[in-house]
Amino acid sequence: MEGNAKRIDHIGIAVYSIEKALPFYEDVLQLKLLAIEEVDSQGVRVAFLEIGQSKIELLEPLSEKSPIFSFLKKKGEGIHHIAVGVSNIDARIEELKAKGVQMVHDKAVEGAGGAHIAFIHPKSANGALVEFCEKK
Ligand code: ZN
């Protein structure tokens, strides 16, 4: 099979407040802030910071219904997921399902920046939450 996973697209970090978290990433790590946007489908506000060809995504819950809110309550701030950049995400999801991999999303959903994303269940990924991410 041709290598379809292109690179680490981004690493997602759960935070209580993007505003409070940004000074560390911008001033201390000296990363460039690319964008801040709300992703209603995921119940989050996200900030993307550029680090070489990859990004760091800060995720702040928009409400107590957000999965990020539950994560923060359970585990506190920290690394939430690793996003693998892929092409043909729909075909990749079907391929994983055929291999018995448990998905959080059975079909790609809209993520930040209009990307198509799908999460693989941590049960199938050694406890890590892995996101597939396809840019348009
Ligand atoms: Zn992500």
Side-chain angles (χ1 to χ4, degrees):
M1 189 183 73
E2 179 195 339
N4 180 276
K6 294 171 172 171
R7 61 188 164 95
I8 301 291
D9 186 84
H10 62 269
I11 292 174
I13 299 177
V15 300
Y16 284 106
S17 160
I18 283 174
E19 198 194 332
K20 286 184 185 154
L22 273 181
F24 172 76
Y25 293 93
E26 285 191 291
D27 304 337
V28 181
L29 293 188
Q30 301 186 345
L31 306 182
K32 187 178 153 206
L33 177 63
L34 297 173
I36 296 181
E37 68 173 286
E38 290 189 5
V39 186
D40 289 330
S41 65
Q42 306 296 311
V44 290
R45 177 181 295 120
V46 301
F48 280 103
L49 296 121
E50 185 177 50
I51 177 157
Q53 298 234 316
S54 300
K55 291 175 277 311
I56 284 177
E57 175 186 40
L58 303 177
L59 303 122
E60 172 192 310
L62 284 175
S63 78
E64 298 194 356
K65 283 183 202 149
S66 168
I68 293 299
F69 182 81
S70 319
F71 179 90
L72 287 167
K73 260 183 79 176
K74 244 190 270 172
K75 301 190 175 171
E77 293 190 320
I79 292 181
H80 177 261
H81 67 269
I82 294 172
V84 177
V86 299
S87 48
N88 301 317
I89 188 166
D90 295 323
R92 290 289 280 144
I93 293 169
E94 291 311 314
E95 203 179 294
L96 291 198
K97 279 162 43 184
K99 285 180 179 159
V101 173
Q102 202 178 328
M103 300 295 297
V104 174
H105 299 112
D106 273 344
K107 289 199 153 50
V109 297
E110 183 136 333
H116 287 162
I117 65 164
F119 283 98
I120 298 167
H121 198 285
K123 275 183 190 159
S124 288
N126 308 94
L129 182 58
V130 177
E131 172 187 339
F132 272 175
C133 172
E134 181 176 25
K135 295 285 152 60
K136 276 183 193 155

